[in-house]
Structures are given as structure tokens and as C-alpha cells.
Amino acid sequence: MFEKILIANRGEIACRVAATARRMGVRTVAVYSDADAHAKHVLACDEAVHVGGSAPRDSYLQWQRIIDAARATGAQAIHPGYGFLSENEDFAQACQDAGLVFIGPPASAINAMGLKAESKRLMEGAGVPLVPGYHGADQDLALLRQQADRIGYPVLIKASAGGGGKGMRAVERGEDFDAALASCKREAINSFGDDAVLVEKYVQRPRHIEIQVFADTHGHCVYLFERDCSVQRRHQKVLEEAPAPGLTPALRRQMGEAAVAAARAVGYVGAGTVEFIVEQPGGYEHPEQMKFYFMEMNTRLQVEHPVTEAITGQDLVEWQLRVAAGQPLPLTQDELLIDGHAIEARICAENPDKDFLPATGTLHVYRKPPHAAFEFGAVRFDDGVREGDAISPFYDSMIAKLIVWGETRQEALAKLDAALAATHIVGLQTNVQFLRHVLASDSFAQARLDTALIPRERAQLFQQDRLGRDMAVAAAVAQTVLAERAAETSDPFSRTDGFRSHGVASRRVDLEYRGESVVAKLRYLSDGLQLQVDDAEPKPLSLTALPDGRIDLRYGGARELVQVYALGEVEHVFGTRGAVQITELDTLSRADEGAGEGGRLTAPMPGKVVSIAVKAGDKVSKGQPLAVMEAMKMEHTIAAPQDGVVDEVLYAPGDQVTEGAELLRLGLLSK
Ligand code: ADP
Ligand code: ADP
Ligand code: MG
């Protein structure tokens, strides 16, 4: 086994690899950028080397510096994690040339699976089923169009070099093909520097089911079953589970064997994932009719690998280290078994209600579910941040992964919901409550899975508040009352807002709840508190502070255990049923600058300008796309807030912009 390895990554995956290395007695070297100088992953390792500026291209993608760091610290091998250099065959080769072990497949296998079109040609030869389509090298436009007509609409155009859900266009009708092809090629050349595409049948209501494979240098190759990653937004995974609900043992074996054949066809070594798109012609009720087709192979450890660990009881990073050190696989196919059910939720800094716009900011409050440990167990929480850390615009928006295990899917689902309810993050937008809404949706609860689940269930997922206005108001008022009581107890002469000592029996609190103003009237009666919300009937309010900081709140016949965090004038209320923010208007400073109004169009987040669809002088109508920005692996369209005429365009494609930067100026149309 190695004595020391370098981890060429950051965030949760760097911490994850370091944890296993430590358990195995392998010393670790971290690398870090300027922005990550004090990051959790740096402290998780025994040594750390600074490799450059905050942008990935200046640090985590600087592979010569990373190789130099490995040599300087005496590391024998490099673990690339996922993303960054993990699927870079030149890096894998450079490691080998430098006498270092790349903990991953041989460069030739990365190369063979690197381009979707070429890998499909290879898979065809290995007898792995493919989505009907065209993946030839000839990129003649007329030929591509003719192939699309032959396949039959709808079709999907994919950038061969694409990844991360980017570079794909679904085309419904033949007349839209040319425009979609042009825009796909444009995105592909900008994002991946290669505009080759393939065209395939667009599978309706498909499931994404992938197989974890593992191969060693002694000719063994096994599959560690499947993960269902059908719940996606923007072609990116949101929830992943193992095993795939409804998959028959026969199909599991067929898919597993196909994945092993795929790995063997490219001389694979180490951990890999073969992704399949699965058609359900018989609907959810007839899983035995499912048909699977090869989509791509990811030649690295996958973000969602913990669900496989949870159902097999194996540590995949340990397997990676063993295989890279030349040892045989720890288990044979027959020794691998599925135990129970596991689900992973990706907790991201984003606003689901704003089309999943990534968010940045400081984790002022960052509370994990109790009993969650960075290890195997019923509730596992993998992260690379601590309270007080910032989610910066330089890297992706994933904050943490929450993984739960249960005897059954139903048990795992209930545990995940409870763990999410106990995950309290204040300081930036997250998808935590959205994830709970997905879990509660009929489709997810009943395992009616396919990649259209989120759009299909949207009415239950977005703009939801499961706590309700009255509970939110009650929680905000309770927090204020408790804060005052605490102040009075500690110093009876300090009168924060001492209404009772002034003989005042009631008070008014002005609040803002989901954009609407609410008036709360609190009365102190001899037998307790009474709360009136707007003009509704006043009702008794009972509140008890619990030792763990929560408040047992009873109002209007309902009971809720809430935890309230005040940040500025905003009260962040977390209950068992949901979470909501409510603002106290009396302390709100009204220095509103009116950003975004008056024709200024500003960047909603820091990032890169991808394209500008208009030029000065253009007339635009409300809702018309004006520009596309990219940040944290996602693209966002900036649309006209009203009819108008473009006065000035202030940035060009490729420019980096800061949050709030004015992108273009819009004037009103003169009548
Ligand atoms: P998966 O199928 O495992 O989700 P993705 O292609 O979405 O694979 O990427 C895996 C992970 O790699 C992401 O979640 C992200 O953390 C990281 N990653 C990928 N591309 C980038 C990038 N350009 N910058 C930073 N991180 C990236
Ligand atoms: P990436 O490299 O971006 O991960 P994939 O080829 O793995 O690209 O596809 C990403 C997602 O797009 C899949 O998980 C699936 O939801 C969807 N998808 C891919 N191919 C098809 C298809 N032929 N029909 C329908 N959906 C597809
Ligand atoms: Mg994929």
C-alpha cells in the first residue's frame, strides 16, 4: 500500500478521500487555491501545498504544479477525485511519466470513453445496446439532418465532448433541427472546444440507471449493482438511490454484465460508472419490460458513490487505493450482495424557485442532522465546509451530500426527510426544502421515476411553504418574546422593549411574509399570550423554549417544533414540516437602491457572459432572452423585465462579471 498520496481536488470529495486514507494509515497531501487557503479539505490532510489562484484553471487544473507538489512531498500516487483533472488523459499519462500512480484507469481507457460518439462506436462492437442514433465521424450538416429524419423525432443532439448536462438539445420537429444543431455546436465549441455532435432518439419518460463497475490489474472485473439517478434538473442529478426501484434481478444481471463488457472492451482498471438510459414501454407497472441503452461511461469515482457503499458495505475509495497499489479486488461478483436501500440528496447553494439559480454567500448557520457522521451509518453527511465558510463563485454549488440507509426504501425516505428537516442553513439560498418537497411528491414516494419527475410534479415542488403564514408569524413573534425574556432575566433593569414594565398589555409587530405585509398583534393576558394575525380572530399562543434551542409552539390548534435564527431583520424559521423566512419590518432599513429597476439589467451572480442576444438599438419585448450567463456549472438566461429598447450593451461573450454588474441598459420605448 502507498505511504502517502496527493489528493488533487477540493471540497467534500477531497475530505472523503482523506478520511479513508487516514483509516488505512496512508498519509495525505492536499492542494489548495487562494480561495481555499483555510478550507476544510486542507485541514483534513496531513500536508498541504498551495497551487495557485482561485479560478480552477489557475490552481486545480494546473497539472504540472500538482505533479511537482506530489514529487516535492514524496507522495507516490495522486487521487483526482471527480471533476477537474479526473477525466483528463494527458494528466493520467503525465503522472505515469513522472513515476507517480494515477488512482484511476489507464490513460487509454479515459481516451476511449472520453468522446461520446467514439465510445458508442466502441460499445457497438462490444455488443452493448445503444440508443438508436447516428454517432459517425462525418459531420456534414445535410447528413446529420438526414440521420435525424431517419431516426424519427423527437431526437436529441449531443456534443460528443459534452458533460455535466451541457451541450444537449432536444428537437421535436424536423423544421427545428437546423437551428438546434447550430446552437448546440456553438455551445459545444465554447464549452468544450470541439463541436462534433451525435444524434440519437430522444427517449420518452426515461430513467437514468447506472452501474458501478470495478476492475483490477489481475483481469478481474465486477459490478456493484446500480444507482437510479432519474431525478434530475437541467440534466443534472438531484437525488440518487440504490437499488433502482422495481428493477428485476434478471435485468440487474443483464445490465451489470453489459457494464462489465463495456469496461473490459476498453481495458478498464479502477472505479467506473456505465450510465444507461432506460425506456419503460410498459410504464411503471411493468418494470420487466424496461429496455436499457448505453449512454456514456464516467471514468472516475462518481458524486453519488456513497449509495453504493451503503448497500454493499464496501468503501469504494479503499477499493480504489488497493487496485491502484496493484492488489486484487477485495471481493468476487458472487460475494457482493445488496443490503437494504440508500438515498442521497445533493444539498446545493441555489434557488429552486428561480430556475435553480446558483447562490453564493456565507454559511452563517450550518447545522447538520444530529448523529450524522462522516462515516458509514444510517445517516451520513459528506461535506467540505464548516459554519462560517463561504460558498464562492469559483467552484460548483454543491454544499454537501446527505446519504441515508434503511431496511426498505420507505424507511430510507422517512429518514432522509427527517435528516433534511434537521439541516439548517442560513446565509444563502439552498435547495433543502425543495428536496423535501420532491421526497413528498406522489411520483417519488411511489417510485414512479423518470427524468421528467420534477417538471411533472412542479405544482407541489416550487413556491411552497409547508409551515404556513400563521405558524411563521407565531415563530417570529415567539423568538422576539423569548429574546426579551432572556434579556430581562439576565438584567432586570435593562428594558429592551419592556412593554410589561411600562404597563403596556399589547404590542404590534409589522412583518413581511413572502412579499406581503402582515400585522401581528400580541396581547399579554393574565392567563397567557394571545396573537392576532391581520384581521383574523385572536387565538392563544403558547411557547416553550426547549433546552436544545428549539421552541415548542402552539397556535391556532396547530403545534410545531421550530428553531428560529435571526440574521439582521430576517427570522429564519425551521420547523419539522418546513422552513420559511419572515422579515420584521420595524427594524428594516429602507435604504433600497432599487437595483434591477429603471432599465438596469444586472448580473444575478458572479460568472461569465456566454452570449448576448441583442445589440444597442434593438427593440425587445418583455420576457425576451437578452443574454446568457454561466456560473457554477450552470447557464442562466437574462430576460427583458419589460418592453423596451436596448440602449447599451456593456459586456461581451467571454467576459467575467461580478454579482450586480450592469450587463446592459434598457430604455423605455417612446410612444
Ligand atoms: P456526475 O454524473 O458525477 O454528477 P458531473 O459531470 O455532473 O458528474 O460532475 C461531477 C462533479 O465534478 C460535479 O458535481 C462537480 O463537483 C465537479 N465538476 C465538474 N465540472 C466542474 C467544473 N468545471 N468546475 C468545478 N467542478 C466541476
Ligand atoms: P452528461 O455527460 O452531460 O452527463 P449524458 O449523456 O450522460 O450527458 O446525459 C445526461 C442526461 O440527459 C441523462 O441522465 C438523461 O437524463 C438525459 N438524456 C441523455 N440521453 C438521452 C436520450 N437519448 N433520451 C432522453 N434523455 C436523455
Ligand atoms: Mg452523464
Side-chain angles (χ1 to χ4, degrees):
M1 184 44 61
F2 309 112
E3 280 153 31
K4 194 190 272 188
I5 62 170
L6 180 142
I7 303 170
N9 214 298
R10 63 177 304 280
E12 69 87 17
I13 191 61
C15 296
R16 157 78 194 88
V17 173
T20 289
R22 182 174 301 269
R23 190 173 56 69
M24 294 174 69
V26 175
R27 296 181 63 78
T28 49
V29 181
V31 292
Y32 64 93
S33 66
D34 288 345
D36 282 338
H38 303 284
K40 185 174 172 180
H41 82 269
V42 175
L43 298 182
C45 293
D46 300 306
E47 293 169 63
V49 180
H50 176 248
V51 288
S54 299
R57 65 173 177 283
D58 299 329
S59 48
Y60 298 107
L61 295 175
Q62 282 287 338
W63 47 271
Q64 192 53 54
R65 282 187 215 159
I66 290 175
I67 288 176
D68 292 346
R71 289 176 124 173
T73 54
Q76 298 145 310
I78 299 189
H79 194 303
Y82 52 67
F84 297 135
L85 296 168
S86 61
E87 295 183 277
N88 185 322
E89 70 210 62
D90 297 332
F91 177 66
Q93 190 58 51
C95 287
Q96 198 185 321
D97 297 345
L100 296 161
V101 176
F102 175 77
I103 304 176
S108 57
I110 301 179
N111 175 277
M113 289 297 185
L115 293 174
K116 293 184 204 287
E118 284 172 24
S119 69
K120 286 188 179 180
R121 294 202 285 272
L122 258 168
M123 290 302 110
E124 200 162 36
V128 180
L130 297 184
V131 186
Y134 170 77
H135 31 79
D138 188 345
Q139 293 284 307
D140 179 65
L141 298 188
L143 172 72
L144 290 173
R145 182 177 183 148
Q146 189 194 326
Q147 289 293 336
D149 293 342
R150 174 186 64 82
I151 297 161
Y153 293 91
V155 298
L156 189 64
I157 309 174
K158 273 190 200 178
S160 188
K166 275 167 60 181
M168 289 195 281
R169 294 286 183 284
V171 190
E172 298 287 336
R173 300 169 313 167
E175 52 265 49
D176 301 332
F177 185 84
D178 292 352
L181 178 65
S183 104
C184 185
K185 279 188 172 284
R186 219 179 306 123
E187 184 175 323
I189 199 88
N190 283 335
S191 302
F192 313 109
D194 175 354
D195 73 351
V197 298
L198 58 94
V199 184
E200 62 188 28
K201 186 178 148 199
Y202 189 73
V203 182
Q204 303 288 321
R205 295 200 152 205
R207 280 167 76 170
H208 171 122
I209 301 180
E210 58 186 34
I211 305 284
Q212 175 72 54
V213 293
F214 237 104
D216 63 17
T217 48
H218 304 272
H220 308 117
C221 185
V222 298
Y223 60 91
L224 288 91
F225 315 109
E226 76 281 3
R227 295 181 286 257
D228 192 314
C229 312
S230 300
V231 182
Q232 303 182 346
R233 51 124 172 74
R234 299 164 162 244
H235 301 297
Q236 288 183 14
K237 298 157 188 169
V238 175
L239 288 163
E240 300 105 341
E241 58 184 303
L247 193 70
T248 61
L251 201 54
R252 173 170 298 126
R253 193 166 50 247
Q254 274 180 46
M255 291 178 74
E257 284 167 4
V260 166
R264 287 197 184 280
V266 296
Y268 204 78
V269 175
T273 294
V274 182
E275 296 190 331
F276 294 103
I277 187 116
V278 177
E279 207 170 12
Q280 315 187 83
Y284 312 104
E285 277 71 40
H286 292 283
E288 75 287 354
Q289 294 178 20
M290 293 200 295
K291 281 198 264 179
F292 66 93
Y293 308 107
F294 173 85
M295 205 157 36
E296 65 166 343
M297 180 168 187
N298 293 327
T299 52
R300 54 170 159 89
L301 193 68
Q302 203 94 334
V303 173
E304 56 275 18
H305 76 277
V307 293
T308 300
E309 298 186 321
I311 62 155
T312 59
Q314 302 302 311
D315 179 336
L316 298 191
V317 173
E318 178 181 340
W319 282 43
Q320 285 190 298
L321 296 187
R322 289 192 183 287
V323 166
Q327 298 179 14
L329 292 178
L331 296 177
T332 62
Q333 191 65 58
D334 292 342
E335 289 167 334
L336 283 160
L337 297 171
I338 296 178
D339 177 26
H341 198 95
I343 314 180
E344 173 181 280
R346 296 193 191 194
I347 297 175
C348 297
E350 64 185 21
N351 185 349
D353 291 340
K354 277 201 188 154
D355 201 15
F356 302 98
L357 185 72
T360 54
T362 300
L363 298 162
H364 289 296
V365 174
Y366 181 62
R367 302 285 154 83
K368 308 178 200 185
H371 315 303
F374 191 89
E375 59 187 32
F376 302 95
V379 179
R380 169 173 167 184
F381 202 93
D382 281 19
D383 65 7
V385 289
R386 295 150 305 194
E387 196 163 81
D389 282 353
I391 301 296
S392 75
F394 300 112
Y395 314 109
D396 69 324
S397 60
M398 197 167 77
I399 303 170
K401 308 187 302 202
L402 178 53
I403 306 102
V404 299
W405 180 92
E407 295 276 355
T408 61
R409 182 173 192 269
Q410 198 188 345
E411 189 186 310
L413 210 147
K415 280 185 185 164
L416 182 56
D417 187 58
L420 286 167
T423 303
H424 299 169
I425 300 175
V426 175
L428 40 76
Q429 302 270 1
T430 75
N431 64 342
V432 172
Q433 299 306 315
F434 171 80
L435 290 167
R436 299 187 68 196
H437 303 157
V438 176
L439 296 183
S441 69
D442 285 345
S443 294
F444 194 79
Q446 294 163 20
R448 300 168 77 89
L449 302 175
D450 62 80
T451 60
L453 187 147
I454 288 177
R456 178 170 68 249
E457 294 279 2
R458 61 187 170 274
Q460 305 303 317
L461 305 182
F462 299 103
Q463 308 289 349
Q464 296 290 306
D465 168 25
R466 304 269 155 108
L467 277 181
R469 185 191 64 162
D470 286 6
M471 238 347 142
V473 171
V477 168
Q479 177 71 9
T480 308
V481 169
L482 288 171
E484 285 170 1
R485 274 188 201 165
E488 282 176 19
T489 324
S490 62
D491 177 5
F493 299 104
S494 96
R495 299 278 177 250
T496 48
D497 192 359
F499 36 86
R500 268 185 300 178
S501 46
H502 292 252
V504 183
S506 78
R507 70 186 308 204
R508 172 189 161 127
V509 187
D510 285 281
L511 298 159
E512 190 179 291
Y513 166 79
R514 305 181 85 195
E516 311 256 312
S517 53
V518 185
V519 177
K521 287 197 195 103
L522 183 68
R523 292 189 185 86
Y524 294 80
L525 306 178
S526 54
D527 58 347
L529 300 170
Q530 192 189 57
L531 177 66
Q532 179 178 16
V533 180
D534 281 346
D535 296 327
E537 191 66 22
K539 292 173 214 141
L541 170 70
S542 137
L543 49 103
T544 312
L546 303 179
D548 64 3
R550 288 184 299 172
I551 308 171
D552 180 345
L553 200 60
R554 294 162 200 223
Y555 181 63
R559 173 185 185 245
E560 184 66 45
L561 284 172
V562 297
Q563 178 104 38
V564 185
Y565 305 91
L567 187 69
E569 60 277 3
V570 183
E571 309 262 15
H572 297 258
V573 181
F574 294 87
T576 42
R577 279 183 294 159
V580 71
Q581 297 174 17
I582 186 158
T583 308
E584 283 209 38
L585 289 179
D586 23 10
T587 53
L588 181 68
S589 80
R590 289 174 181 277
D592 195 346
E593 278 145 35
E597 283 169 28
R600 294 176 73 232
L601 277 164
T602 56
M605 69 220 158
K608 191 173 97 180
V609 177
V610 173
S611 62
I612 303 266
V614 292
K615 55 185 186 323
D618 283 0
K619 282 186 189 157
V620 297
S621 46
K622 187 177 172 183
Q624 183 178 330
L626 304 177
V628 176
M629 275 191 63
E630 182 194 284
M632 304 165 92
K633 280 186 75 199
M634 301 262 263
E635 283 195 0
H636 299 276
T637 303
I638 289 148
Q642 74 231 356
D643 292 354
V645 57
V646 178
D647 277 346
E648 203 179 350
V649 176
L650 296 150
Y651 285 94
D655 288 349
Q656 290 287 339
V657 295
T658 53
E659 182 176 349
E662 188 170 4
L663 297 176
L664 17 87
R665 221 166 272 161
L666 209 59
L668 292 176
L669 279 177
S670 43
K671 294 269 156 71

